[in-house]
Amino acid sequence: MTRSILGLTPPDLPIAEIAPLAALDLIGVAVFAATGALAAARDRHDLVTMTFFAAVTGVGGGTLRDLLIGAPVFWVVDWRYIAMCIAASVAVWLLGARPWRFRLLLWLDAFGLAAYGVIGAAKAEAWGATPLICIVMGALTACFGGVVRDLLAGQPSVLLRREIVVSAAIAAATAYVALKALEVGNWPAAAIATTLGFALRAGALRWGWSLPAFPQASLRP
C-alpha cells in the first residue's frame, strides 16, 4: 500500500485536507458528535454538557488513533472539527424533544461507525501502517468515541453488545484496505466500504443480526 493519499506525504497535509476523503471525515465527526449530544439530551443535560459530549464522541477515536500512529492530532491543527461538534450539539438542542430523536441516534451511529472505520484505515495507511494495523486503527477510530460516550452517559458499552456494532466498523475498514490493495481509487473504495459497513449495522438494527456467541459448556451428570 502506498504511504500517501493522492501523492501527498503525511507531513504535507493532515487527512482533513486530502480530497476526496475530507468530506467523509468531516461528516463522520458531525454524525458522531450528534450521537454524543443526543446521549446527553437523553438525561436532559444543558447545552454546555451536550457540547462536551459531542466533542468527546466526535473526536475521541481519531485522537487516540493519531497519538498511536504519531500523527498531529487532527482537531488541534484544524479548527473545523471542533466547530462541527459545536454545530451538531446546537442542532440537537434546537431539534428539541422529538419522539424519534433517539431512534435517529442509532442510525446516525450506524453511519458514523462505517464512515470512521474507513477514515481511520485511510489515515493509518497514509502514515505508512501495514494493512492489518490500518484495519485496527479503523475499528479504533470508529468505536473509541462511542465507548467514552456510553461511559459518560452511564449506558452499556458498545463493546458489550451482542449485535453487530464493532464488526461493522471492522468490515468497513477491511473492505477499504482490500479495495486499495486492488488499486481502486480513494473515493470509490471509501464509498463501497462505507456502504458495506452501514448495511451490516443497519441489518443489526432492523433484523437483529449478531455474531454467534461463545458456546455454553454442556452440563455433565
PDB file of all heavy atoms in Angstrom, residues 77-110:
ATOM      1  N   VAL A  77      -4.987  20.779  14.761  1.00  0.00           N
ATOM      2  CA  VAL A  77      -4.434  21.505  13.616  1.00  0.00           C
ATOM      3  C   VAL A  77      -5.512  21.983  12.645  1.00  0.00           C
ATOM      4  O   VAL A  77      -5.204  22.681  11.692  1.00  0.00           O
ATOM      5  CB  VAL A  77      -3.410  20.628  12.859  1.00  0.00           C
ATOM      6  CG1 VAL A  77      -2.234  20.302  13.756  1.00  0.00           C
ATOM      7  CG2 VAL A  77      -4.045  19.351  12.336  1.00  0.00           C
ATOM      8  N   ASP A  78      -6.756  21.610  12.897  1.00  0.00           N
ATOM      9  CA  ASP A  78      -7.844  22.041  12.012  1.00  0.00           C
ATOM     10  C   ASP A  78      -9.071  22.360  12.865  1.00  0.00           C
ATOM     11  O   ASP A  78      -9.743  21.447  13.369  1.00  0.00           O
ATOM     12  CB  ASP A  78      -8.168  20.935  10.998  1.00  0.00           C
ATOM     13  CG  ASP A  78      -9.109  21.401   9.895  1.00  0.00           C
ATOM     14  OD1 ASP A  78      -9.832  22.389  10.110  1.00  0.00           O
ATOM     15  OD2 ASP A  78      -9.114  20.765   8.817  1.00  0.00           O
ATOM     16  N   TRP A  79      -9.380  23.622  13.006  1.00  0.00           N
ATOM     17  CA  TRP A  79     -10.443  24.080  13.896  1.00  0.00           C
ATOM     18  C   TRP A  79     -11.837  23.637  13.459  1.00  0.00           C
ATOM     19  O   TRP A  79     -12.783  23.639  14.245  1.00  0.00           O
ATOM     20  CB  TRP A  79     -10.434  25.611  13.975  1.00  0.00           C
ATOM     21  CG  TRP A  79     -10.662  26.280  12.638  1.00  0.00           C
ATOM     22  CD1 TRP A  79      -9.705  26.650  11.746  1.00  0.00           C
ATOM     23  CD2 TRP A  79     -11.915  26.620  12.050  1.00  0.00           C
ATOM     24  NE1 TRP A  79     -10.277  27.213  10.630  1.00  0.00           N
ATOM     25  CE2 TRP A  79     -11.640  27.212  10.785  1.00  0.00           C
ATOM     26  CE3 TRP A  79     -13.250  26.502  12.456  1.00  0.00           C
ATOM     27  CZ2 TRP A  79     -12.640  27.664   9.936  1.00  0.00           C
ATOM     28  CZ3 TRP A  79     -14.253  26.953  11.605  1.00  0.00           C
ATOM     29  CH2 TRP A  79     -13.950  27.538  10.372  1.00  0.00           C
ATOM     30  N   ARG A  80     -11.975  23.228  12.202  1.00  0.00           N
ATOM     31  CA  ARG A  80     -13.302  22.885  11.691  1.00  0.00           C
ATOM     32  C   ARG A  80     -13.945  21.716  12.432  1.00  0.00           C
ATOM     33  O   ARG A  80     -15.170  21.621  12.530  1.00  0.00           O
ATOM     34  CB  ARG A  80     -13.222  22.557  10.199  1.00  0.00           C
ATOM     35  CG  ARG A  80     -12.867  23.757   9.320  1.00  0.00           C
ATOM     36  CD  ARG A  80     -12.769  23.352   7.865  1.00  0.00           C
ATOM     37  NE  ARG A  80     -11.694  22.378   7.659  1.00  0.00           N
ATOM     38  CZ  ARG A  80     -11.471  21.761   6.506  1.00  0.00           C
ATOM     39  NH1 ARG A  80     -12.255  21.986   5.464  1.00  0.00           N
ATOM     40  NH2 ARG A  80     -10.468  20.905   6.388  1.00  0.00           N
ATOM     41  N   TYR A  81     -13.122  20.832  12.959  1.00  0.00           N
ATOM     42  CA  TYR A  81     -13.676  19.662  13.644  1.00  0.00           C
ATOM     43  C   TYR A  81     -14.408  20.042  14.920  1.00  0.00           C
ATOM     44  O   TYR A  81     -15.522  19.566  15.180  1.00  0.00           O
ATOM     45  CB  TYR A  81     -12.556  18.658  13.927  1.00  0.00           C
ATOM     46  CG  TYR A  81     -12.056  17.988  12.674  1.00  0.00           C
ATOM     47  CD1 TYR A  81     -10.903  18.430  12.039  1.00  0.00           C
ATOM     48  CD2 TYR A  81     -12.755  16.929  12.116  1.00  0.00           C
ATOM     49  CE1 TYR A  81     -10.445  17.830  10.890  1.00  0.00           C
ATOM     50  CE2 TYR A  81     -12.310  16.316  10.959  1.00  0.00           C
ATOM     51  CZ  TYR A  81     -11.157  16.771  10.350  1.00  0.00           C
ATOM     52  OH  TYR A  81     -10.726  16.173   9.188  1.00  0.00           O
ATOM     53  N   ILE A  82     -13.789  20.880  15.734  1.00  0.00           N
ATOM     54  CA  ILE A  82     -14.457  21.316  16.965  1.00  0.00           C
ATOM     55  C   ILE A  82     -15.669  22.182  16.617  1.00  0.00           C
ATOM     56  O   ILE A  82     -16.720  22.083  17.265  1.00  0.00           O
ATOM     57  CB  ILE A  82     -13.483  22.091  17.864  1.00  0.00           C
ATOM     58  CG1 ILE A  82     -12.375  21.145  18.362  1.00  0.00           C
ATOM     59  CG2 ILE A  82     -14.221  22.698  19.049  1.00  0.00           C
ATOM     60  CD1 ILE A  82     -12.882  19.955  19.166  1.00  0.00           C
ATOM     61  N   ALA A  83     -15.546  23.008  15.583  1.00  0.00           N
ATOM     62  CA  ALA A  83     -16.688  23.811  15.147  1.00  0.00           C
ATOM     63  C   ALA A  83     -17.845  22.907  14.722  1.00  0.00           C
ATOM     64  O   ALA A  83     -19.017  23.195  15.003  1.00  0.00           O
ATOM     65  CB  ALA A  83     -16.283  24.727  13.993  1.00  0.00           C
ATOM     66  N   MET A  84     -17.530  21.798  14.064  1.00  0.00           N
ATOM     67  CA  MET A  84     -18.558  20.856  13.646  1.00  0.00           C
ATOM     68  C   MET A  84     -19.231  20.215  14.851  1.00  0.00           C
ATOM     69  O   MET A  84     -20.453  20.006  14.859  1.00  0.00           O
ATOM     70  CB  MET A  84     -17.937  19.777  12.754  1.00  0.00           C
ATOM     71  CG  MET A  84     -18.943  18.909  12.030  1.00  0.00           C
ATOM     72  SD  MET A  84     -19.843  19.808  10.746  1.00  0.00           S
ATOM     73  CE  MET A  84     -18.582  19.953   9.476  1.00  0.00           C
ATOM     74  N   CYS A  85     -18.455  19.912  15.880  1.00  0.00           N
ATOM     75  CA  CYS A  85     -19.022  19.339  17.103  1.00  0.00           C
ATOM     76  C   CYS A  85     -19.969  20.327  17.780  1.00  0.00           C
ATOM     77  O   CYS A  85     -21.049  19.952  18.258  1.00  0.00           O
ATOM     78  CB  CYS A  85     -17.908  18.943  18.065  1.00  0.00           C
ATOM     79  SG  CYS A  85     -16.889  17.560  17.487  1.00  0.00           S
ATOM     80  N   ILE A  86     -19.563  21.587  17.838  1.00  0.00           N
ATOM     81  CA  ILE A  86     -20.415  22.617  18.436  1.00  0.00           C
ATOM     82  C   ILE A  86     -21.703  22.765  17.645  1.00  0.00           C
ATOM     83  O   ILE A  86     -22.806  22.836  18.205  1.00  0.00           O
ATOM     84  CB  ILE A  86     -19.658  23.960  18.515  1.00  0.00           C
ATOM     85  CG1 ILE A  86     -18.467  23.841  19.466  1.00  0.00           C
ATOM     86  CG2 ILE A  86     -20.586  25.077  18.965  1.00  0.00           C
ATOM     87  CD1 ILE A  86     -17.538  25.051  19.440  1.00  0.00           C
ATOM     88  N   ALA A  87     -21.584  22.798  16.321  1.00  0.00           N
ATOM     89  CA  ALA A  87     -22.763  22.944  15.471  1.00  0.00           C
ATOM     90  C   ALA A  87     -23.709  21.760  15.649  1.00  0.00           C
ATOM     91  O   ALA A  87     -24.940  21.928  15.676  1.00  0.00           O
ATOM     92  CB  ALA A  87     -22.331  23.061  14.007  1.00  0.00           C
ATOM     93  N   ALA A  88     -23.160  20.556  15.785  1.00  0.00           N
ATOM     94  CA  ALA A  88     -24.005  19.374  15.963  1.00  0.00           C
ATOM     95  C   ALA A  88     -24.772  19.435  17.272  1.00  0.00           C
ATOM     96  O   ALA A  88     -25.961  19.100  17.324  1.00  0.00           O
ATOM     97  CB  ALA A  88     -23.143  18.110  15.916  1.00  0.00           C
ATOM     98  N   SER A  89     -24.103  19.875  18.340  1.00  0.00           N
ATOM     99  CA  SER A  89     -24.789  19.958  19.634  1.00  0.00           C
ATOM    100  C   SER A  89     -25.873  21.029  19.615  1.00  0.00           C
ATOM    101  O   SER A  89     -26.968  20.834  20.176  1.00  0.00           O
ATOM    102  CB  SER A  89     -23.780  20.235  20.753  1.00  0.00           C
ATOM    103  OG  SER A  89     -23.141  21.485  20.570  1.00  0.00           O
ATOM    104  N   VAL A  90     -25.614  22.159  18.967  1.00  0.00           N
ATOM    105  CA  VAL A  90     -26.635  23.207  18.858  1.00  0.00           C
ATOM    106  C   VAL A  90     -27.823  22.706  18.041  1.00  0.00           C
ATOM    107  O   VAL A  90     -28.986  22.967  18.377  1.00  0.00           O
ATOM    108  CB  VAL A  90     -26.028  24.479  18.225  1.00  0.00           C
ATOM    109  CG1 VAL A  90     -27.123  25.498  17.913  1.00  0.00           C
ATOM    110  CG2 VAL A  90     -24.994  25.092  19.164  1.00  0.00           C
ATOM    111  N   ALA A  91     -27.548  21.965  16.975  1.00  0.00           N
ATOM    112  CA  ALA A  91     -28.627  21.433  16.139  1.00  0.00           C
ATOM    113  C   ALA A  91     -29.512  20.479  16.935  1.00  0.00           C
ATOM    114  O   ALA A  91     -30.744  20.506  16.831  1.00  0.00           O
ATOM    115  CB  ALA A  91     -28.041  20.727  14.921  1.00  0.00           C
ATOM    116  N   VAL A  92     -28.882  19.621  17.760  1.00  0.00           N
ATOM    117  CA  VAL A  92     -29.658  18.697  18.595  1.00  0.00           C
ATOM    118  C   VAL A  92     -30.483  19.469  19.614  1.00  0.00           C
ATOM    119  O   VAL A  92     -31.648  19.139  19.883  1.00  0.00           O
ATOM    120  CB  VAL A  92     -28.722  17.686  19.291  1.00  0.00           C
ATOM    121  CG1 VAL A  92     -29.478  16.876  20.338  1.00  0.00           C
ATOM    122  CG2 VAL A  92     -28.088  16.753  18.258  1.00  0.00           C
ATOM    123  N   TRP A  93     -29.899  20.520  20.180  1.00  0.00           N
ATOM    124  CA  TRP A  93     -30.623  21.351  21.149  1.00  0.00           C
ATOM    125  C   TRP A  93     -31.853  21.994  20.495  1.00  0.00           C
ATOM    126  O   TRP A  93     -32.947  21.995  21.057  1.00  0.00           O
ATOM    127  CB  TRP A  93     -29.690  22.419  21.697  1.00  0.00           C
ATOM    128  CG  TRP A  93     -30.334  23.351  22.683  1.00  0.00           C
ATOM    129  CD1 TRP A  93     -30.994  24.504  22.418  1.00  0.00           C
ATOM    130  CD2 TRP A  93     -30.400  23.171  24.102  1.00  0.00           C
ATOM    131  NE1 TRP A  93     -31.458  25.087  23.572  1.00  0.00           N
ATOM    132  CE2 TRP A  93     -31.110  24.284  24.629  1.00  0.00           C
ATOM    133  CE3 TRP A  93     -29.918  22.204  24.977  1.00  0.00           C
ATOM    134  CZ2 TRP A  93     -31.342  24.439  25.990  1.00  0.00           C
ATOM    135  CZ3 TRP A  93     -30.155  22.359  26.344  1.00  0.00           C
ATOM    136  CH2 TRP A  93     -30.861  23.462  26.826  1.00  0.00           C
ATOM    137  N   LEU A  94     -31.656  22.531  19.293  1.00  0.00           N
ATOM    138  CA  LEU A  94     -32.767  23.182  18.600  1.00  0.00           C
ATOM    139  C   LEU A  94     -33.810  22.173  18.127  1.00  0.00           C
ATOM    140  O   LEU A  94     -34.985  22.522  17.980  1.00  0.00           O
ATOM    141  CB  LEU A  94     -32.234  23.976  17.403  1.00  0.00           C
ATOM    142  CG  LEU A  94     -31.330  25.170  17.746  1.00  0.00           C
ATOM    143  CD1 LEU A  94     -30.786  25.807  16.474  1.00  0.00           C
ATOM    144  CD2 LEU A  94     -32.071  26.192  18.589  1.00  0.00           C
ATOM    145  N   LEU A  95     -33.387  20.946  17.898  1.00  0.00           N
ATOM    146  CA  LEU A  95     -34.315  19.909  17.480  1.00  0.00           C
ATOM    147  C   LEU A  95     -35.391  19.654  18.530  1.00  0.00           C
ATOM    148  O   LEU A  95     -36.548  19.400  18.202  1.00  0.00           O
ATOM    149  CB  LEU A  95     -33.548  18.614  17.192  1.00  0.00           C
ATOM    150  CG  LEU A  95     -34.347  17.425  16.669  1.00  0.00           C
ATOM    151  CD1 LEU A  95     -34.897  17.713  15.283  1.00  0.00           C
ATOM    152  CD2 LEU A  95     -33.458  16.170  16.642  1.00  0.00           C
ATOM    153  N   GLY A  96     -34.971  19.768  19.786  1.00  0.00           N
ATOM    154  CA  GLY A  96     -35.940  19.608  20.865  1.00  0.00           C
ATOM    155  C   GLY A  96     -36.319  18.161  21.132  1.00  0.00           C
ATOM    156  O   GLY A  96     -35.720  17.227  20.603  1.00  0.00           O
ATOM    157  N   ALA A  97     -37.337  17.992  21.941  1.00  0.00           N
ATOM    158  CA  ALA A  97     -37.736  16.661  22.407  1.00  0.00           C
ATOM    159  C   ALA A  97     -38.653  15.983  21.391  1.00  0.00           C
ATOM    160  O   ALA A  97     -39.841  15.764  21.644  1.00  0.00           O
ATOM    161  CB  ALA A  97     -38.412  16.763  23.762  1.00  0.00           C
ATOM    162  N   ARG A  98     -38.113  15.656  20.241  1.00  0.00           N
ATOM    163  CA  ARG A  98     -38.884  14.930  19.237  1.00  0.00           C
ATOM    164  C   ARG A  98     -38.938  13.445  19.604  1.00  0.00           C
ATOM    165  O   ARG A  98     -37.926  12.882  20.045  1.00  0.00           O
ATOM    166  CB  ARG A  98     -38.266  15.108  17.860  1.00  0.00           C
ATOM    167  CG  ARG A  98     -38.049  16.566  17.444  1.00  0.00           C
ATOM    168  CD  ARG A  98     -39.365  17.340  17.410  1.00  0.00           C
ATOM    169  NE  ARG A  98     -39.147  18.757  17.182  1.00  0.00           N
ATOM    170  CZ  ARG A  98     -39.230  19.335  15.987  1.00  0.00           C
ATOM    171  NH1 ARG A  98     -39.527  18.606  14.925  1.00  0.00           N
ATOM    172  NH2 ARG A  98     -39.024  20.634  15.864  1.00  0.00           N
ATOM    173  N   PRO A  99     -40.050  12.786  19.414  1.00  0.00           N
ATOM    174  CA  PRO A  99     -40.174  11.389  19.834  1.00  0.00           C
ATOM    175  C   PRO A  99     -39.255  10.433  19.086  1.00  0.00           C
ATOM    176  O   PRO A  99     -38.954   9.345  19.577  1.00  0.00           O
ATOM    177  CB  PRO A  99     -41.648  11.062  19.559  1.00  0.00           C
ATOM    178  CG  PRO A  99     -42.085  12.068  18.544  1.00  0.00           C
ATOM    179  CD  PRO A  99     -41.315  13.314  18.855  1.00  0.00           C
ATOM    180  N   TRP A 100     -38.794  10.827  17.901  1.00  0.00           N
ATOM    181  CA  TRP A 100     -37.978   9.927  17.098  1.00  0.00           C
ATOM    182  C   TRP A 100     -36.484  10.205  17.224  1.00  0.00           C
ATOM    183  O   TRP A 100     -35.678   9.565  16.544  1.00  0.00           O
ATOM    184  CB  TRP A 100     -38.369  10.054  15.626  1.00  0.00           C
ATOM    185  CG  TRP A 100     -38.596  11.476  15.177  1.00  0.00           C
ATOM    186  CD1 TRP A 100     -39.792  12.109  15.090  1.00  0.00           C
ATOM    187  CD2 TRP A 100     -37.603  12.439  14.780  1.00  0.00           C
ATOM    188  NE1 TRP A 100     -39.617  13.404  14.650  1.00  0.00           N
ATOM    189  CE2 TRP A 100     -38.283  13.633  14.452  1.00  0.00           C
ATOM    190  CE3 TRP A 100     -36.217  12.408  14.664  1.00  0.00           C
ATOM    191  CZ2 TRP A 100     -37.610  14.777  14.028  1.00  0.00           C
ATOM    192  CZ3 TRP A 100     -35.549  13.551  14.240  1.00  0.00           C
ATOM    193  CH2 TRP A 100     -36.247  14.716  13.927  1.00  0.00           C
ATOM    194  N   ARG A 101     -36.084  11.103  18.113  1.00  0.00           N
ATOM    195  CA  ARG A 101     -34.684  11.532  18.099  1.00  0.00           C
ATOM    196  C   ARG A 101     -33.723  10.439  18.566  1.00  0.00           C
ATOM    197  O   ARG A 101     -32.580  10.362  18.085  1.00  0.00           O
ATOM    198  CB  ARG A 101     -34.498  12.780  18.956  1.00  0.00           C
ATOM    199  CG  ARG A 101     -34.814  12.606  20.420  1.00  0.00           C
ATOM    200  CD  ARG A 101     -34.593  13.892  21.182  1.00  0.00           C
ATOM    201  NE  ARG A 101     -34.929  13.733  22.589  1.00  0.00           N
ATOM    202  CZ  ARG A 101     -34.759  14.677  23.487  1.00  0.00           C
ATOM    203  NH1 ARG A 101     -34.266  15.843  23.118  1.00  0.00           N
ATOM    204  NH2 ARG A 101     -35.072  14.470  24.753  1.00  0.00           N
ATOM    205  N   PHE A 102     -34.151   9.566  19.487  1.00  0.00           N
ATOM    206  CA  PHE A 102     -33.241   8.539  19.959  1.00  0.00           C
ATOM    207  C   PHE A 102     -33.113   7.390  18.960  1.00  0.00           C
ATOM    208  O   PHE A 102     -32.098   6.712  18.899  1.00  0.00           O
ATOM    209  CB  PHE A 102     -33.684   8.039  21.331  1.00  0.00           C
ATOM    210  CG  PHE A 102     -33.625   9.117  22.380  1.00  0.00           C
ATOM    211  CD1 PHE A 102     -34.763   9.498  23.064  1.00  0.00           C
ATOM    212  CD2 PHE A 102     -32.436   9.771  22.645  1.00  0.00           C
ATOM    213  CE1 PHE A 102     -34.702  10.508  24.014  1.00  0.00           C
ATOM    214  CE2 PHE A 102     -32.370  10.785  23.590  1.00  0.00           C
ATOM    215  CZ  PHE A 102     -33.505  11.158  24.269  1.00  0.00           C
ATOM    216  N   ARG A 103     -34.162   7.184  18.178  1.00  0.00           N
ATOM    217  CA  ARG A 103     -34.028   6.250  17.060  1.00  0.00           C
ATOM    218  C   ARG A 103     -33.050   6.812  16.035  1.00  0.00           C
ATOM    219  O   ARG A 103     -32.259   6.084  15.429  1.00  0.00           O
ATOM    220  CB  ARG A 103     -35.401   6.014  16.418  1.00  0.00           C
ATOM    221  CG  ARG A 103     -35.429   4.900  15.383  1.00  0.00           C
ATOM    222  CD  ARG A 103     -35.159   3.559  16.001  1.00  0.00           C
ATOM    223  NE  ARG A 103     -35.170   2.488  15.023  1.00  0.00           N
ATOM    224  CZ  ARG A 103     -34.779   1.246  15.275  1.00  0.00           C
ATOM    225  NH1 ARG A 103     -34.323   0.929  16.477  1.00  0.00           N
ATOM    226  NH2 ARG A 103     -34.823   0.326  14.338  1.00  0.00           N
ATOM    227  N   LEU A 104     -33.110   8.132  15.853  1.00  0.00           N
ATOM    228  CA  LEU A 104     -32.169   8.794  14.955  1.00  0.00           C
ATOM    229  C   LEU A 104     -30.739   8.577  15.425  1.00  0.00           C
ATOM    230  O   LEU A 104     -29.827   8.395  14.614  1.00  0.00           O
ATOM    231  CB  LEU A 104     -32.478  10.294  14.895  1.00  0.00           C
ATOM    232  CG  LEU A 104     -31.520  11.161  14.078  1.00  0.00           C
ATOM    233  CD1 LEU A 104     -31.553  10.770  12.601  1.00  0.00           C
ATOM    234  CD2 LEU A 104     -31.872  12.639  14.240  1.00  0.00           C
ATOM    235  N   LEU A 105     -30.514   8.583  16.739  1.00  0.00           N
ATOM    236  CA  LEU A 105     -29.185   8.362  17.298  1.00  0.00           C
ATOM    237  C   LEU A 105     -28.605   7.046  16.802  1.00  0.00           C
ATOM    238  O   LEU A 105     -27.433   6.969  16.411  1.00  0.00           O
ATOM    239  CB  LEU A 105     -29.258   8.378  18.828  1.00  0.00           C
ATOM    240  CG  LEU A 105     -27.939   8.281  19.622  1.00  0.00           C
ATOM    241  CD1 LEU A 105     -28.125   8.902  21.000  1.00  0.00           C
ATOM    242  CD2 LEU A 105     -27.477   6.843  19.795  1.00  0.00           C
ATOM    243  N   LEU A 106     -29.428   5.993  16.808  1.00  0.00           N
ATOM    244  CA  LEU A 106     -28.953   4.678  16.391  1.00  0.00           C
ATOM    245  C   LEU A 106     -28.529   4.669  14.923  1.00  0.00           C
ATOM    246  O   LEU A 106     -27.503   4.080  14.557  1.00  0.00           O
ATOM    247  CB  LEU A 106     -30.038   3.632  16.625  1.00  0.00           C
ATOM    248  CG  LEU A 106     -30.422   3.370  18.087  1.00  0.00           C
ATOM    249  CD1 LEU A 106     -31.578   2.391  18.153  1.00  0.00           C
ATOM    250  CD2 LEU A 106     -29.221   2.826  18.857  1.00  0.00           C
ATOM    251  N   TRP A 107     -29.315   5.341  14.073  1.00  0.00           N
ATOM    252  CA  TRP A 107     -28.994   5.337  12.650  1.00  0.00           C
ATOM    253  C   TRP A 107     -27.815   6.243  12.335  1.00  0.00           C
ATOM    254  O   TRP A 107     -26.996   5.938  11.452  1.00  0.00           O
ATOM    255  CB  TRP A 107     -30.221   5.728  11.834  1.00  0.00           C
ATOM    256  CG  TRP A 107     -31.246   4.641  11.839  1.00  0.00           C
ATOM    257  CD1 TRP A 107     -32.370   4.562  12.607  1.00  0.00           C
ATOM    258  CD2 TRP A 107     -31.207   3.437  11.072  1.00  0.00           C
ATOM    259  NE1 TRP A 107     -33.040   3.388  12.355  1.00  0.00           N
ATOM    260  CE2 TRP A 107     -32.354   2.678  11.421  1.00  0.00           C
ATOM    261  CE3 TRP A 107     -30.334   2.924  10.113  1.00  0.00           C
ATOM    262  CZ2 TRP A 107     -32.634   1.441  10.853  1.00  0.00           C
ATOM    263  CZ3 TRP A 107     -30.617   1.693   9.540  1.00  0.00           C
ATOM    264  CH2 TRP A 107     -31.750   0.963   9.908  1.00  0.00           C
ATOM    265  N   LEU A 108     -27.697   7.349  13.051  1.00  0.00           N
ATOM    266  CA  LEU A 108     -26.513   8.194  12.882  1.00  0.00           C
ATOM    267  C   LEU A 108     -25.260   7.445  13.327  1.00  0.00           C
ATOM    268  O   LEU A 108     -24.210   7.516  12.688  1.00  0.00           O
ATOM    269  CB  LEU A 108     -26.664   9.482  13.701  1.00  0.00           C
ATOM    270  CG  LEU A 108     -27.674  10.505  13.188  1.00  0.00           C
ATOM    271  CD1 LEU A 108     -27.758  11.681  14.156  1.00  0.00           C
ATOM    272  CD2 LEU A 108     -27.289  10.997  11.800  1.00  0.00           C
ATOM    273  N   ASP A 109     -25.374   6.726  14.431  1.00  0.00           N
ATOM    274  CA  ASP A 109     -24.247   5.954  14.928  1.00  0.00           C
ATOM    275  C   ASP A 109     -23.847   4.882  13.917  1.00  0.00           C
ATOM    276  O   ASP A 109     -22.658   4.602  13.732  1.00  0.00           O
ATOM    277  CB  ASP A 109     -24.620   5.313  16.265  1.00  0.00           C
ATOM    278  CG  ASP A 109     -23.411   4.713  16.972  1.00  0.00           C
ATOM    279  OD1 ASP A 109     -22.492   5.475  17.308  1.00  0.00           O
ATOM    280  OD2 ASP A 109     -23.388   3.479  17.179  1.00  0.00           O
ATOM    281  N   ALA A 110     -24.836   4.292  13.242  1.00  0.00           N
ATOM    282  CA  ALA A 110     -24.544   3.266  12.232  1.00  0.00           C
ATOM    283  C   ALA A 110     -23.711   3.843  11.099  1.00  0.00           C
ATOM    284  O   ALA A 110     -22.724   3.234  10.653  1.00  0.00           O
ATOM    285  CB  ALA A 110     -25.849   2.684  11.696  1.00  0.00           C
TER     286      ALA A 110
END
